[in-house]
Structures are given as structure tokens and as C-alpha cells.
Amino acid sequence: MLRSSAGIRSMRSIGGVIILAVGPGGLAAQQDAPKVRVQVTGEATALAPGVISVAESNDEYLTYAPDGRLAVFTRREGRQTRLWQTSLVDGSWTPPRLVDFAGEFNDNRSAFTPDGRRLFFASNRPHAGAGSAARSDLDIWTVERTSSGAWGEPRPLSGPVNSSEHETHPSVASSGNLYFVRWGEEETDIFVAEWNGESYQEPRRFGPEINTAGPDSHPFIDPEERFLLFAPTGRADGLGGGDIYVSYPTPEGWSVGENLGPRINSDFYEYSARVGPDGRVTFSRAGFGEPETRPADLFVIDLEIRPAHH
């Protein structure tokens, strides 16, 4: 269950899902029991080696537009991170190019909204506009994408989401609820900010089923909020530097995160899993010293989603 220091305050419906609004410490979960179970199948393979996954850079945090024909990902070269885009043409991904709004600042960890109309991303861009210095922290920004595919002007997310700490790793549900990571000097935890149709509410930290004493990050929320993928580090059942886990909404809150197993997780660091329009999971794999140092590359693996009662 999400952390809460008070009881349930109200109950409302978003898109047919019952949401219980709880006290200051947490978000209530769906009233119904989990609807699905997920597992990865087959073998993980590199995504477009030599095109998207290249040896010279860290290629990570990929997100798909709903039609599956456009992907945006982060390419990190040294300490500089920028967003790149690539298109699927005749079954192959085109050579990536910088997104139109990429520039001197660090932009990374993006996520399309389920309708494809907006892209959320983390950035150290100045809020004051061009000519200002980069911020010392990352905030979540959003940019609209027109029907012609053109990008609008990025703007920082309004409301209570951004703070003096780092906000990053956004993932957006069909309800509008925003799942993200906030990290500072002491904690790296996953939060959710509910969307009430007009604005985001005060973000709420997930409880110990999701957040532990170690860093917990890289959330991906299923558009219908049937499950949450995330990447903790330091858990007792971990297979490497970091693994991909899944949690489900339950009548009590959210279930304890479950390791998705050795088909997707390894001795290396697996993170930033996102389910694409084709139903496959794209994720990042890197080595940050153990068992060896290796740049981040993007991989894909099949995902099976089945009714929970089967």
C-alpha cells in the first residue's frame, strides 16, 4: 500500500476505475483485485544494433508513439544527454536525428502520453527562457506534437510536481495520472501525481512495496493502470546491479514488487522498461562496473499479459 498518515478522504471515478483519495502520505489504489498478470517470454535481443543501439554512446529510455512508427530515446555522450527520434519505415528504423527542440541543455527520459499528443521529458532547461543558465536540478517538461508530426515549444510542467529536488522518469496513464521519480541527497523514490481534469494534485510517494531504502526508479505505468513496471536496486531477490520488477493494484494498495526473472534481468543493470504498441517490452541494459563496464543499449523482449484469474 502507498504510505499514508491519514485515512481515506474521498472516493471518485476516473475512466471507470474507482480511486480512493487517502491522506497526505499516499495514493489509494483501485478497489478491484488485479485484473492481469504479466510475464516476459522468449529471449531479449538488441534493438536496431548499429542504428539505435550503438557502441559509441549510451542509448536508453526509449518511448514509442501510439502508432509504433516513431520512437524517441536518450543518447548520452559523456555528460551530455539529448533526445533523438527515429521512424519505422518498411520494417527498419531510420538513422536517428536530434529532436527539433534539442539544444545546449540536458534533455532525457521521455515518455509519450497514451494518445501521442504530448511528450513528457526531464530537463535542466531554465524556466526563465532562452539565454538563462541551466538549472542545477532536473524538472519535468512537456511538449505538444501536432498532427503533422511537428514539435511545439517545450514548457515546464505547472503545478506541484516540480520542486527543488530532481524530478525525472515520467510515465503517463490514460487517466492523466503522472508517475515519476523524485530524488535528492537522501532518497530516490517513485511518486504519482493524480490528474483531476484540470491540474495535477500534490505528488504522493509510493509505500514500501515499491520504494525501499535503495534507489527506486524508472516507472512505467500501463495506460489503464493495471500494472506498474519499475527498477529498484539492492533488493534481496535482485539478479544484478538493478532489475525490472512488476507491481499490481490490489484492494489494499499495490502489491509487493516481483522480479520479472532471468529472461529480462541479468548480472548487468536493467532499467527503463516500456511496453510498446506491439506489446513487446523495450528496456535498457548497461554495466556500471559490475560485472563489467559497458555502455547502455536498448533491448526488446516479448511480453505476455493474461487475465489474473488464469
Side-chain angles (χ1 to χ4, degrees), residues 35-39 248 304-310:
K35 295 178 173 59
V36 299
R37 298 283 297 179
V38 305
Q39 67 178 28
Y248 305 93
E304 180 181 301
I305 302 175
R306 64 184 188 278
H309 60 272
H310 281 190

Side-chain angles (χ1 to χ4, degrees), residues 40 44 244 259-266 270 273 281 283 285 301:
V40 292
I244 296 168
N259 193 303
L260 281 180
R263 290 188 179 275
I264 190 171
N265 296 316
S266 71
E270 283 80 28
V281 173
F283 65 97
R285 174 178 287 162
I301 192 169

Side-chain angles (χ1 to χ4, degrees), residues 1-10 20-28 194 202-205:
M1 179 185 285
L2 290 159
R3 299 173 189 163
S4 177
S5 59
I8 295 172
R9 297 190 305 196
S10 64
L20 304 178
V22 301
L27 167 85
E194 291 185 72
E202 188 68 30
R204 292 164 177 161
R205 179 187 277 111

Side-chain angles (χ1 to χ4, degrees), residues 297-308:
D297 284 321
L298 287 153
F299 289 78
V300 292
I301 192 169
D302 292 328
L303 181 72
E304 180 181 301
I305 302 175
R306 64 184 188 278

Side-chain angles (χ1 to χ4, degrees), residues 87-104:
S87 298
L88 188 63
V89 178
D90 297 329
S92 299
W93 292 102
T94 60
R97 65 177 179 86
L98 284 171
V99 298
D100 295 339
F101 55 86
E104 60 180 304

